[in-house]
Amino acid sequence: MGMNYFHQLLCRSSMWERASATRIVPWALDRLDLGDSALEVGPGYGANVRTLRGRAAALTGLEIDPALAARLRSRQSGQLEVIEGDGTAMPLPDKEFSSVVCFTMLHHVPSPDQQDALFAEAFRVLRPEGVFAGSDGLDSPFFRLMHIGDTCVPVPPATLTGRLTGIGFTDIEIDTGATMFRFRARRP
């Protein structure tokens, strides 16, 4: 999923890692137990690895970009298992994980249908009672400006409950902040 040069610089910066570790992930996962085996879809440059390792005994990252997957393996060795693959067709077994998370990446999935395929795959790889959670940016002129030249298909939070319910998720919660939204859902 394409990102412009500015966006790449931002996402691999220590500033972004700090923001993600201190604001985004704690807000998105507030009072949420990830269980023993978490999957992060789209870990990118690895900004969330340290924070997530403190919340789950085992962490797997599913990354579509081969260069980013190689970078994660090199820089985060021993912190997570990196699997190269597409979130819309995960090369993972059914009911493998206690949680699936994704942060600020859903808008890089090229279409609503592909986003729904990612949601369905998250459901498939979750164990019963497993949780799917994360965050993404809210559509705005500034958000669009930052994504010029990127794949950018914002997820309207108002549609998410229906989309996740249609896949089979329950206990869905959507909260909207100033520039982001967070979501949580459970596989029954």
Side-chain angles (χ1 to χ4, degrees):
M1 315 300 164
M3 288 194 328
N4 66 41
Y5 184 67
F6 168 75
H7 203 163
Q8 290 174 33
L9 287 176
L10 174 65
C11 289
R12 66 178 177 230
S13 72
S14 59
M15 178 186 76
W16 178 253
E17 185 171 346
R18 215 171 18 260
S20 191
T22 61
R23 291 194 321 261
I24 298 169
V25 173
W27 177 66
L29 301 182
D30 183 43
R31 297 184 318 272
L32 199 60
D33 181 3
L34 297 183
D36 64 340
S37 181
L39 170 67
E40 182 181 15
V41 180
Y45 291 97
N48 304 317
V49 172
R50 273 189 233 141
T51 303
L52 292 174
R53 282 294 293 146
R55 298 180 72 109
L59 179 62
T60 301
L62 177 66
E63 178 54 53
I64 194 169
D65 184 306
L68 290 178
R71 184 179 196 271
L72 284 166
R73 282 188 196 99
S74 169
R75 294 182 177 219
Q76 303 288 349
S77 179
Q79 297 301 306
L80 81 160
E81 177 184 2
V82 179
I83 297 172
E84 189 178 320
D86 186 338
T88 67
M90 297 182 190
L92 298 164
D94 294 355
K95 301 177 184 172
E96 180 77 8
F97 298 96
S98 55
S99 58
V100 175
V101 296
C102 57
F103 305 96
T104 65
M105 58 72 64
L106 290 173
H107 61 275
H108 289 293
V109 178
S111 73
D113 286 343
Q114 287 174 297
Q115 292 166 352
D116 289 345
L118 186 149
F119 302 153
E121 282 293 277
F123 186 88
R124 181 184 65 78
V125 301
L126 274 171
R127 297 176 194 148
E129 299 304 313
V131 66
F132 178 42
S135 65
D136 208 36
L138 293 172
D139 199 6
S140 72
F142 179 74
F143 186 78
R144 293 287 181 156
L145 181 63
M146 193 171 92
H147 290 83
I148 289 176
D150 285 6
T151 299
C152 184
V153 181
V155 175
T159 69
L160 201 49
T161 297
R163 293 166 75 181
L164 294 174
T165 300
I167 291 163
F169 284 105
T170 61
D171 303 325
I172 298 163
E173 298 175 26
I174 313 290
D175 294 308
T176 304
T179 60
M180 303 188 83
F181 69 90
R182 70 179 178 186
F183 64 93
R184 300 147 185 244
R186 192 162 300 281
R187 177 182 175 148

